[in-house]
């Protein structure tokens, strides 16, 4: 343990900041307490318990607006990637901003329609394994575009459209063979990956599709991966897509849309923080530059970039223990609540919800682990962390994307509640599960 000067920790305005918090009628004394917007996270834990997901509505709006502003000089629609965080209240919040949606399953489409029925006209349907039932539901909803991943899927889509006596708007998802520096599990833009059609084969398949009366060639789609923090690969991919669009138009196809996909990463470690507005401005410049003279409507599919920093997972310290010299902080959240560290070895900043107001804080090197019976059930290993006691609260930051959507009931653990904060207002947007909920579906 070593003393260190107090640091209020990473601040991510307008969502999560440390603020002075006073209690009682006399309001004597004060602590530095992590707030979501203007609400102390300690109060939310008292009301709803832990583990608990908390989201900042103001940050979601800010991130969406920053992206929308960055592309304001080019016709575009931002189609939020529902798989990042699919809570109905968050989808409604984004729909009210004018956002479209990118879905990868029939269930996600149903979520969008439940949140805002009119949003169907701004939905793109991606994914390599669309079923006939999912395709039929999307055709009936009259979505904007199908991003087709294979020739077999193309003919299945044509059959479904024929049965409904309608026309399916399609874009082929091309694989540009562009490498992106990201985790191999979420890289999708190389020929060795399951996604898309090799860009060299695209013209031939577009020619075949143009002869199907139940299909309408509408665009070209691309997506090279997720959590990409260097923006240069996006520009490289768009240059290849622009060349393909020119070739397709010379072949006689009417290409109205280019779907640039998503994948824009966020800074999970505070030393990597950048000004988001400047970051997305450079991203937009690289995306738009190759398309500038093509008279197209651009579609974008951000998910993590909007929702990721807007959420935290709150957890209580159950126990502290030491095995020889190894120190563990055991918390009540687990890998079933947030699987990214176990699945990807992903880094998430972990901070105390309440910080001492004096000038020095002890720091320990610890593993932060959960109660699940797996060695892989951890949130941090050998992490230098402000010393905490049993009963203290911790916040695992940047969990607004790929947090609750990946949660499970492993070990028959119930999934957390979710709360949305907007200024001073708080709203429970998913109640905490009970074991009875899990048993109800079993026969």
């Amino acid at each position: 343990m070593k003393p260190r000067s107090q640091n209020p920790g990473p601040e991510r305005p307008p969502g999560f900041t440390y603020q002075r918090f006073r209690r009682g009628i006399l309001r004597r004394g004060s602590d530095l307490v992590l707030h979501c917007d203007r609400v102390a996270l300690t109060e939310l834990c008292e009301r709803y318990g832990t583990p608990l997901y908390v989201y900042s509505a103001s940050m979601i709006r800010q991130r969406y607006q920053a992206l929308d502003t960055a592309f304001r000089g080019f016709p575009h629609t931002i189609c939020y990637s529902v798989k990042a965080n699919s809570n109905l209240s968050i989808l409604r919040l984004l729909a009210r901003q004018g956002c479209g949606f990118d879905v990868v399953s029939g269930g996600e489409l149903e979520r969008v329609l439940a949140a805002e029925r009119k949003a169907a006209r701004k939905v793109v349907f991606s994914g390599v394994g669309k079923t006939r039932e999912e395709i039929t539901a999307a055709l009936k909803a009259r979505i904007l575009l199908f991003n087709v991943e294979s020739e077999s899927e193309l003919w299945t889509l044509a059959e479904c459209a024929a049965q409904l006596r309608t026309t399916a708007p399609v874009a082929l998802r091309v694989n540009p063979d562009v490498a992106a520096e990201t985790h191999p599990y979420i890289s999708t833009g190389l020929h060795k990956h399951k996604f898309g059609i090799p860009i060299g084969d695209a013209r031939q398949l577009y020619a075949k599709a143009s002869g199907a009366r139940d299909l309408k060639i509408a665009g070209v789609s691309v997506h090279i991966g997720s959590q990409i923090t260097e923006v240069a690969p996006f520009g490289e991919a768009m240059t290849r897509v622009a060349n393909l669009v020119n070739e397709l138009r010379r072949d006689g196809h009417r290409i109205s849309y280019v779907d640039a996909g998503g994948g824009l990463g966020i800074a999970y470690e505070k030393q990597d923080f950048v000004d988001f507005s400047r970051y997305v401005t450079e991203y937009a410049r690289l995306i738009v530059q190759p398309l500038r003279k093509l008279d197209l409507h651009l579609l974008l599919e951000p998910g993590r970039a909007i929702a990721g920093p807007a959420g935290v997972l709150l957890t209580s310290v159950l126990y502290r223990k030491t095995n020889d010299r190894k120190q563990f902080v055991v918390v009540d959240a687990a890998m079933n609540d947030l699987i990214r560290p176990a699945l990807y070895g992903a880094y998430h900043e972990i901070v105390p919800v309440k910080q001492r107001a004096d000038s020095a804080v002890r720091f320990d090197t610890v593993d932060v682990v959960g109660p699940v019976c797996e060695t892989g059930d951890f949130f941090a290993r050998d992490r230098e962390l402000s010393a905490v006691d049993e009963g203290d609260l911790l916040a695992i930051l940047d969990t607004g994307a790929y947090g609750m959507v990946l949660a499970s009931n492993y070990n028959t653990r119930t999934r957390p509640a979710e709360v949305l904060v907007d200024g001073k207002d708080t709203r429970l947007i998913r109640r905490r599960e009970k074991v009875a909920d899990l048993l109800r579906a079993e026969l």
Side-chain angles (χ1 to χ4, degrees):
M1 295 183 295
K2 54 184 177 180
R4 182 176 297 185
S5 61
Q6 172 79 3
N7 185 330
E11 296 195 355
R12 295 137 193 249
F16 297 95
T17 57
Y18 282 98
Q19 302 172 29
R20 297 287 177 184
F21 183 67
R22 295 178 174 83
R23 280 186 176 277
I25 298 174
L26 300 178
R27 304 180 71 84
R28 292 175 179 169
S30 66
D31 293 304
L32 279 174
V33 173
L34 193 62
H35 283 60
C36 178
D37 291 0
R38 297 168 63 186
V39 177
L41 295 183
T42 48
E43 292 188 328
L44 296 180
C45 291
E46 289 173 6
R47 190 184 313 175
Y48 300 109
T50 58
L52 179 68
Y53 275 102
V54 179
Y55 309 113
S56 165
S58 62
M59 180 169 277
I60 291 171
R61 282 193 292 264
Q62 183 213 41
R63 305 284 283 200
Y64 170 81
Q65 290 164 3
L67 276 161
D68 196 40
T69 298
F71 287 92
R72 64 183 179 275
F74 197 90
H76 69 278
T77 300
I78 294 175
C79 298
Y80 169 75
S81 181
V82 174
K83 69 177 183 285
N85 187 323
S86 60
N87 187 283
L88 290 175
S89 292
I90 289 176
L91 300 185
R92 290 190 189 102
L93 172 64
L94 287 164
R96 287 195 291 269
Q97 299 296 303
C99 192
F101 298 95
D102 164 53
V103 303
V104 294
S105 73
E108 287 187 352
L109 175 61
E110 286 193 39
R111 281 186 170 273
V112 170
L113 298 179
E116 174 51 72
R117 193 82 193 176
K118 295 179 181 178
R121 302 300 294 170
K122 294 182 179 181
V123 166
V124 296
F125 195 167
S126 306
V128 299
K130 307 177 188 72
T131 67
R132 289 177 180 271
E133 292 77 16
E134 290 174 325
I135 289 170
T136 298
L139 287 167
K140 288 180 177 179
R142 303 184 64 82
I143 68 168
L144 176 65
L145 193 64
F146 289 87
N147 287 332
V148 173
E149 299 256 5
S150 67
E151 183 171 355
S152 294
E153 181 193 329
L154 187 69
W155 303 134
T156 298
L157 179 58
E159 291 173 12
C160 292
Q163 290 171 1
L164 293 176
R165 297 183 180 180
T166 188
T167 303
V170 301
L172 298 188
R173 175 176 172 177
V174 298
N175 191 316
D177 202 28
V178 169
E181 293 298 323
T182 188
H183 193 283
Y185 288 4
I186 52 177
S187 177
T188 63
L190 298 176
H191 288 161
K192 66 181 180 180
H193 299 137
K194 70 178 181 179
F195 298 97
I197 296 158
I199 197 166
D201 300 340
R203 288 177 67 189
Q204 182 180 3
L205 191 51
Y206 271 102
K208 290 181 180 180
S210 66
R213 66 179 184 179
D214 303 300
L215 300 176
K216 177 185 177 183
I217 302 300
V220 177
S221 173
V222 67
H223 178 72
I224 59 174
S226 298
Q227 186 46 24
I228 301 168
T229 54
E230 295 294 330
V231 294
F234 294 110
E236 183 181 351
M238 278 302 99
T239 297
R240 297 185 185 188
V241 168
N243 292 336
L244 176 61
V245 169
N246 282 321
E247 292 173 350
L248 292 173
R249 285 179 169 173
R250 285 194 293 269
D251 292 342
H253 302 292
R254 297 182 65 181
I255 305 296
S256 302
Y257 297 98
V258 161
D259 187 336
L264 190 65
I266 64 174
Y268 284 100
E269 300 189 45
K270 60 184 176 182
Q271 66 266 24
D272 296 328
F273 289 171
V274 295
D275 180 273
F276 186 66
S277 295
R278 286 187 295 175
Y279 177 48
V280 296
T281 296
E282 177 62 12
Y283 164 71
R285 185 186 69 81
L286 290 172
I287 292 284
V288 166
Q289 193 171 33
L291 307 177
R292 182 69 71 181
K293 298 180 181 179
L294 294 183
D295 188 24
L296 289 162
H297 191 98
L298 179 63
L299 304 173
L300 301 137
E301 301 171 2
R304 185 194 318 262
I306 291 174
V312 298
L313 174 59
L314 302 178
T315 184
S316 299
V317 177
L318 296 176
Y319 306 108
R320 293 204 55 151
K321 62 177 290 186
T322 302
N323 288 351
D324 292 329
R325 297 182 181 179
K326 185 76 171 179
Q327 295 191 65
F328 296 90
V329 173
V330 184
V331 298
D332 64 354
M335 63 186 291
N336 74 291
D337 303 309
L338 176 66
I339 200 172
R340 295 189 72 253
L343 182 62
Y344 301 129
Y347 182 97
H348 283 269
E349 198 82 25
I350 302 175
V351 298
V353 171
K354 184 184 293 186
Q355 293 206 4
R356 292 171 55 187
D358 58 21
S359 60
V361 176
R362 294 179 304 142
F363 280 76
D364 295 334
T365 299
V366 300
D367 284 12
V368 181
V369 300
V372 159
C373 289
E374 299 278 352
T375 303
D377 179 25
F378 66 91
F379 296 116
R381 284 179 166 158
D382 295 321
R383 181 75 62 85
E384 192 177 69
L385 189 69
S386 300
V388 292
D389 297 320
E390 294 175 3
D392 286 353
L393 296 169
L394 294 175
I396 305 174
L397 305 182
D398 301 308
T399 55
Y402 304 107
M404 186 62 176
V405 286
L406 286 169
S408 75
N409 296 118
Y410 187 43
N411 283 191
T412 308
R413 285 174 52 86
T414 57
R415 290 181 296 174
E418 294 177 284
V419 172
L420 183 65
V421 177
D422 197 350
K424 294 190 297 183
D425 298 326
T426 65
R427 185 158 57 92
L428 183 67
I429 59 174
R430 185 198 294 265
R431 65 171 176 82
R432 186 177 306 281
E433 280 182 328
K434 299 177 181 179
V435 174
D437 297 325
L438 311 188
L439 302 182
R440 191 171 293 119
E442 298 182 26
L443 302 179

